[in-house]
Amino acid sequence: MKKPAVFFDRDGVLNEDSGYVFEIGKLRWIDGAREAVKIANDAGYFVFVVTNQSGVARGLYEETHVEALHKWMADDLAIIGAHIDAFEYCPYHPDAVIERYRQISLRRKPAPGMINDLLERFSVDVGRSILIGDKSTDLEAARAAGIHGCLYSSGNLAQFLRPLLHLHGSKSR
């Protein structure tokens, strides 16, 4: 049986975007972000994170830093009984200083590759799913994958999410 999903962008949605966040000690959750994940979990949604991480391509940090930060985020969410079903990130950038990451990738938003990869791996009800992002590229990726995109700019993320789950969760395909 398919179930809906909430796709969250990371920097600027789940955590404050202070520029190339990769250090655990510097991650600051957005107000209501952890609670938003739990609300989506409790409502029966898959919860995914889809994030461009060009800092890897720019040589600012390594993929191991991204993975360690995601593990820390998962552990911190578990404290309140919340979880992320999958973290997806794209380390590629066409202007990368690290050659192995210098490429155009279908996984880099605004392309829908990360979302499409998750749709292949999980039984997602696309018509009842949403993506929450803070940039037009997030919304473009959602649209390209057939997912409704919602632009988040500020405020309590849990309060932002609640009405969206009610609105989209009641739709059927």
Side-chain angles (χ1 to χ4, degrees):
M1 181 155 152
K2 291 188 173 202
K3 64 184 198 176
V6 177
F7 296 81
F8 288 104
D9 175 47
R10 197 188 81 185
D11 302 329
V13 176
L14 289 177
N15 59 275
E16 293 176 7
D17 188 353
S18 55
Y20 302 107
V21 177
F22 70 95
E23 295 166 287
I24 292 166
K26 292 188 177 175
L27 183 129
R28 299 286 174 261
W29 290 104
I30 292 281
D31 185 34
R34 294 177 349 135
E35 296 78 9
V37 172
K38 179 142 178 50
I39 288 166
N41 293 152
D42 292 348
Y45 282 66
F46 287 118
V47 177
F48 303 124
V49 172
V50 289
T51 178
N52 287 343
Q53 290 298 309
S54 69
V56 174
R58 297 173 196 279
L60 302 174
Y61 49 91
E62 298 181 11
E63 287 190 69
T64 54
H65 293 110
V66 176
E67 291 159 5
L69 183 63
H70 290 169
K71 182 182 180 332
W72 181 87
M73 291 173 78
D75 292 346
D76 198 50
L77 286 165
I79 293 168
I80 65 163
H83 70 275
I84 304 282
D85 292 288
F87 287 89
E88 292 290 325
Y89 68 94
C90 179
Y92 303 106
H93 192 279
D95 300 323
V97 296
I98 310 267
E99 188 171 343
R100 74 177 178 270
Y101 295 112
R102 189 181 310 129
Q103 62 178 275
I104 294 171
S105 173
L106 294 177
R107 288 177 51 84
R108 181 172 172 74
K109 295 179 287 181
M114 287 186 283
I115 299 168
N116 288 337
D117 288 349
L118 289 163
L119 295 178
E120 286 179 22
R121 290 189 1 239
F122 293 86
S123 186
V124 175
D125 182 341
V126 173
R128 291 172 49 216
S129 296
I130 60 173
L131 178 141
I132 299 176
D134 65 329
K135 294 181 177 67
S136 62
T137 51
D138 299 320
L139 304 187
E140 290 174 47
R143 190 170 32 259
I147 305 265
H148 181 76
C150 304
L151 186 64
Y152 169 82
S153 57
S154 66
N156 184 294
L157 188 61
Q159 291 174 0
F160 180 83
L161 178 64
R162 267 191 198 95
L164 296 173
L165 293 185
H166 179 71
L167 178 68
H168 293 278
S170 62
K171 289 182 181 177
S172 60
R173 250 207 162 180

